[in-house]
Amino acid sequence: MSTTPETAAETGGHGDISVGVQGASGSGEATASATRITPGNALRPEDIALAVSRGTAKPSEDVAEFALRLGDDALVLAQRLGHWISRAPELEEDIALGNIALDQLGHARSFLSYAGGALGEDGTARSEDDLAYFRSEPEFRSVEIFELPNGDFAVTIARQFVVSYYQFELYSRLTQSTDATLAGIAAKAVKEVDYHRDHSAQWVLRLAQGTDESREKMIHGFKVIWPYVDELFRDDELTARLSEAGAAVEPSSLRANFDRLTGEVLAEAELEVPNVQPTPGGGRKGLHSEHLGYLLAEMQVLAREYPGASW
Amino acid sequence: MASQTLQSVPAEPSPVRHEQSPEDAARLDAEGQAYFDKVMAEDSRIEPRDWMPPAYRKTLLRQISQHAHSEIIGMQPEANWISRAPSLKRKAILMAKVQDEAGHGLYLYSAAETLGQPRDQMMQDLMDGKAKYSSIFNYPARTWADMGAIGWMVDGAAIANQVPLCRASFGPYGRAMVRVCKEESFHQRQGFEILLELSHGTPEQKQMAQDAVNRWYAPALMMFGPPDDDSPNSKQSMAWNIKRFSNDELRNRFVGMMMEQVKVLELTLPDKDIRFNEETKKWEHGPLDWDEFHEVLKGRGPCNAQRLERRREAHQNGAWVREAAAAYADKQRRKQAEKVSAA
């Protein structure tokens, strides 16, 4: 725990990191409109990068590793969702999925900018782009559910439903983190993820109770996604230490709320939790699905073709 | 005539109109025309419920739906680079931009719907190849620098075209344009910034930028439409206060703006004939290949087939989703009705 609210507050400027923390202290704040953030108070990735480069926000090694995990999850998901833009079933969905992708990308940029503060081998901070574009596959820390191919719209919605309910629980709890920057990022992210929950829950209901075909596809979508749910909630040594320090929470502690809230929607949709075996996963240790390599190859190709170039 | 206060005449035939005598119908048409003429003379606005000449309605429907289609098809060349954007910030900006274009498509389809055609029909016409869209989007976005050139030149040309449309005589179109233009000006600036960064980067990056400018220059100029002496519809559109400036006027003005801005970019425009004519006080440019323009317009451009196929594919893949949403909404309505009747 090397960042205190006091030191973070010194960053000042356009986006004061401490604002997010104070703003998140009340639980009501988490449900406030994400679109009504006063621009001057919005926490931007650039503010975090600036605070990191000035040394006013410096994550511990553990916090940096944790931020890297969340950043990679969000980045990989943004990359997946971005593919829907211009391919969605309806113009409104081009916009909605694009918006969710943008939110995820924003979260990724914030987490990665912060993670970069502790990861430089030569002692200097690594930028969000260093981390996104110049790490190889085993260096990524995303879990498998984020890496899964989009599939059809029902698969994308099933993944989005699981992920947004998980992220909502996680970020809600992280707003109380003793690490001011993590708490600040989570406070902004949780408001946006709340909309993602709403979006995916509405689609689960529509698809499950629309036509026979859509119901079949929704059931199939959950069957495809559900083996990867358990990995989201697995604790390990890192989360144990961070939870002990009050900087983060054990993923397993999010499971009860996740099960209850997703269960309510599934019950309304008259769907069962699929009876499938969980996968072992391994993304947190750098053991990834076969899908990630292709995703990274595409994402990184241009940046790697011109190393050191500015864009 | 002068003593008569001219009032808006409803466009939609009321149910009773079928029972009207031909004389009454003719009288209403005459009153509608008089009001329409007055609105044109005063440079004021026609609203969806007002009477309007059938040709005015048809022209607007064609223009607004083509404009909407251009936004939707125009998402594709840029969406092509979202996954490969070379920095996360550029990726975020590009995603937001393409998302804006979907939004522009939505407002424009909505504006067109006020003229009486449903969005589904317009979409169908697009997919059937019956409706046109700006032929610029039938060119491929080959390199990252194309994101810059499209923003700077293509969106720049769109702005030059669309700013005067904010004053178009048809209310919903003019109002949609106000918002579209605000967002387009962001788009143009981000394109300019991409090129600026590239032109001040490595020699390879600068070359990439110059190459993109070279490729998009002529197609961007052709976005203003054929030369004035070959633009049959322009005169009527100007009389109806839809179009305010001729194609060539707008094109020349645009060339002037490009000439100033390209200096800041330290790039060049691929046209040795650009000059400011001191006598006419107008910018002039070299000859454009209008044969190519017409070829692309007829569907023989590099990406026509690809763009339409992608739209059809997305539409077909999404059919079951739209059907599900409609069926669900129906069921919800029925449930609600049952609740109300039970109460």
Side-chain angles (χ1 to χ4, degrees):
Chain A
M1 274 320 310
S2 47
T3 307
T4 64
E6 286 73 26
T7 53
E10 286 167 22
T11 56
H14 176 73
D16 183 341
I17 286 177
S18 66
V19 171
V21 183
Q22 287 157 6
S25 55
S27 59
E29 190 67 23
T31 57
S33 166
T35 56
R36 276 187 244 154
I37 291 172
T38 313
N41 288 342
L43 178 59
R44 304 173 312 158
E46 288 84 355
D47 302 317
I48 295 168
L50 190 67
V52 164
S53 70
R54 283 181 181 165
T56 50
K58 185 163 170 38
S60 66
E61 260 183 49
D62 278 355
V63 166
E65 177 69 16
F66 186 67
L68 196 63
R69 292 178 174 187
L70 306 193
D72 286 348
D73 287 348
L75 176 60
V76 169
L77 182 58
Q79 187 74 2
R80 284 288 184 226
L81 291 174
H83 186 76
W84 276 105
I85 302 175
S86 77
R87 293 181 177 88
E90 193 69 286
L91 267 180
E92 284 81 350
E93 271 314 292
D94 277 310
I95 296 177
L97 291 172
N99 222 43
I100 294 170
L102 262 175
D103 287 344
Q104 293 288 336
L105 183 55
H107 307 162
R109 296 183 59 204
S110 292
F111 283 126
L112 294 182
S113 294
Y114 191 41
L119 294 174
E121 279 164 23
D122 57 354
T124 60
R126 286 212 268 174
S127 72
E128 54 175 350
D129 289 336
D130 293 337
L131 291 173
Y133 292 96
F134 295 95
R135 274 182 304 153
S136 63
E137 215 178 318
E139 294 173 279
F140 271 75
R141 289 293 173 265
S142 46
V143 291
E144 198 158 353
I145 196 168
F146 295 94
E147 300 166 8
L148 295 174
N150 283 336
D152 65 14
F153 187 70
V155 172
T156 288
I157 288 299
R159 181 183 62 200
Q160 205 47 44
F161 178 72
V162 168
V163 158
S164 58
Y165 275 79
Y166 156 76
Q167 286 181 328
F168 184 83
E169 293 307 319
L170 175 62
Y171 296 155
S172 298
R173 296 278 295 280
L174 287 182
T175 60
Q176 308 298 321
S177 170
T178 50
D179 184 288
T181 306
L182 271 191
I185 299 169
K188 181 168 187 284
V190 73
K191 295 174 194 167
E192 296 171 351
V193 169
D194 198 14
Y195 282 99
H196 306 175
R197 286 199 311 179
D198 188 34
H199 172 264
S200 59
Q202 285 190 46
W203 272 115
V204 166
L205 292 173
R206 279 190 206 112
L207 297 183
Q209 301 186 322
T211 61
D212 290 346
E213 185 187 7
S214 70
R215 182 169 180 81
E216 206 173 288
K217 286 192 150 81
M218 191 69 253
I219 290 168
H220 172 256
F222 276 122
K223 216 170 180 176
V224 170
I225 294 299
W226 216 266
Y228 308 95
V229 172
D230 275 13
E231 191 186 8
L232 288 170
F233 299 99
R234 279 191 202 133
D235 304 334
D236 62 12
E237 287 172 9
L238 178 74
T239 57
R241 286 197 302 274
L242 288 169
S243 158
E244 177 73 25
V249 291
E250 292 276 35
S252 61
S253 70
L254 308 171
R255 187 70 195 245
N257 274 354
F258 171 87
D259 284 342
R260 182 173 55 80
L261 294 169
T262 53
E264 284 171 12
V265 179
L266 294 177
E268 193 183 338
E270 296 169 5
L271 293 173
E272 307 265 326
V273 172
N275 183 18
V276 289
Q277 297 305 316
T279 57
R284 298 299 188 215
K285 295 190 191 110
L287 301 169
H288 293 283
S289 67
E290 291 178 340
H291 314 298
L292 184 66
Y294 295 92
L295 181 143
L296 294 184
E298 187 175 349
M299 184 176 83
Q300 296 176 334
V301 61
L302 183 57
R304 288 190 173 209
E305 208 176 324
Y306 298 87
S310 163
W311 303 93
Chain B
M1 187 72 197
S3 62
Q4 189 183 350
T5 313
L6 290 173
Q7 284 184 336
S8 163
V9 176
E12 294 303 315
S14 61
V16 287
R17 188 158 176 174
H18 295 295
E19 295 152 24
Q20 281 164 0
S21 64
E23 292 78 16
D24 280 352
R27 184 178 51 77
L28 282 175
D29 278 349
E31 282 175 19
Q33 181 74 53
Y35 176 74
F36 181 85
D37 291 344
K38 177 171 173 274
V39 166
M40 291 302 130
E42 289 174 350
D43 200 356
S44 182
R45 271 191 163 151
I46 287 291
E47 295 298 336
R49 287 168 195 277
D50 295 339
W51 185 96
M52 61 188 86
Y56 176 84
R57 184 184 298 275
K58 199 176 150 199
T59 295
L60 275 167
L61 197 53
R62 195 197 63 215
Q63 180 169 341
I64 302 173
S65 60
Q66 279 181 12
H67 192 163
H69 300 328
S70 303
E71 297 282 358
I72 300 313
I73 296 292
M75 292 166 70
Q76 291 183 28
E78 291 174 295
N80 185 41
W81 281 93
I82 288 175
S83 65
R84 292 173 293 165
S87 77
L88 297 186
K89 186 178 175 183
R90 292 283 174 212
K91 189 192 288 288
I93 293 170
L94 187 59
M95 264 192 201
K97 177 179 193 279
V98 181
Q99 196 196 20
D100 278 353
E101 282 152 11
H104 296 175
L106 272 184
Y107 328 138
L108 288 162
Y109 283 127
S110 301
E113 281 189 315
T114 68
L115 291 161
Q117 195 169 80
R119 198 213 297 182
D120 289 352
Q121 182 60 51
M122 292 185 257
M123 277 283 184
Q124 197 56 52
D125 287 348
L126 171 65
M127 289 182 292
D128 292 346
K130 287 185 200 159
K132 292 204 159 37
Y133 55 87
S134 185
S135 60
I136 190 101
F137 300 116
N138 291 317
Y139 291 88
R142 291 202 165 94
T143 70
W144 170 252
D146 289 32
M147 298 303 95
I150 290 174
W152 179 50
M153 305 173 99
V154 176
D155 292 336
I159 293 168
N161 242 330
Q162 291 168 14
V163 166
L165 287 174
C166 295
R167 294 187 286 128
S169 58
F170 186 58
Y173 192 30
R175 288 187 288 272
M177 277 303 110
V178 173
R179 183 159 172 188
V180 169
C181 284
K182 280 183 188 169
E183 294 179 349
E184 289 293 351
S185 79
F186 273 111
H187 297 177
Q188 193 195 17
R189 273 186 279 172
Q190 68 86 35
F192 184 83
E193 205 204 352
I194 287 174
L195 291 177
L196 191 66
E197 195 75 34
L198 292 175
S199 72
H200 291 78
T202 65
E204 291 84 1
Q205 283 179 305
K206 182 163 184 172
Q207 185 52 45
M208 192 197 279
Q210 183 63 59
D211 171 63
V213 168
N214 291 351
R215 280 184 290 110
W216 289 95
Y217 169 77
L221 288 199
M222 291 193 260
M223 282 174 71
F224 294 94
D228 292 349
D229 51 22
D230 186 29
S231 179
N233 299 325
S234 284
K235 208 176 157 198
Q236 180 61 74
S237 282
M238 288 175 83
W240 278 332
N241 297 341
I242 299 170
K243 200 171 167 62
R244 300 286 174 167
F245 303 99
S246 79
N247 295 352
D248 286 334
E249 271 180 289
L250 290 170
R251 187 169 14 245
N252 295 341
R253 199 184 296 174
F254 176 67
V255 167
M257 291 192 310
M258 293 284 104
M259 276 305 278
E260 287 307 309
Q261 293 172 9
V262 80
K263 289 181 208 157
V264 182
L265 291 174
E266 296 177 24
L267 297 172
T268 57
L269 295 177
D271 183 347
K272 291 188 179 66
D273 299 327
I274 296 180
R275 68 180 195 114
F276 186 72
N277 185 327
E278 287 295 345
E279 277 175 35
T280 60
K281 301 285 174 208
K282 279 179 183 168
W283 284 89
E284 292 172 358
H285 56 83
L288 293 166
D289 184 356
W290 291 105
D291 290 340
E292 179 186 307
F293 176 81
H294 288 294
E295 281 295 291
V296 178
L297 206 62
K298 282 178 192 149
R300 294 192 280 269
C303 297
N304 297 58
Q306 178 193 331
R307 300 286 185 243
L308 272 188
E309 183 47 31
R310 164 86 160 271
R311 181 91 297 277
R312 286 187 203 115
E313 191 186 10
H315 193 77
Q316 277 163 14
N317 289 345
W320 68 272
V321 178
R322 295 189 300 274
E323 283 158 20
Y328 180 75
D330 254 7
K331 286 178 191 168
Q332 293 300 105
R333 264 194 296 273
R334 256 179 281 148
K335 265 190 203 168
Q336 194 58 34
E338 279 164 25
K339 262 190 211 165
V340 171
S341 64

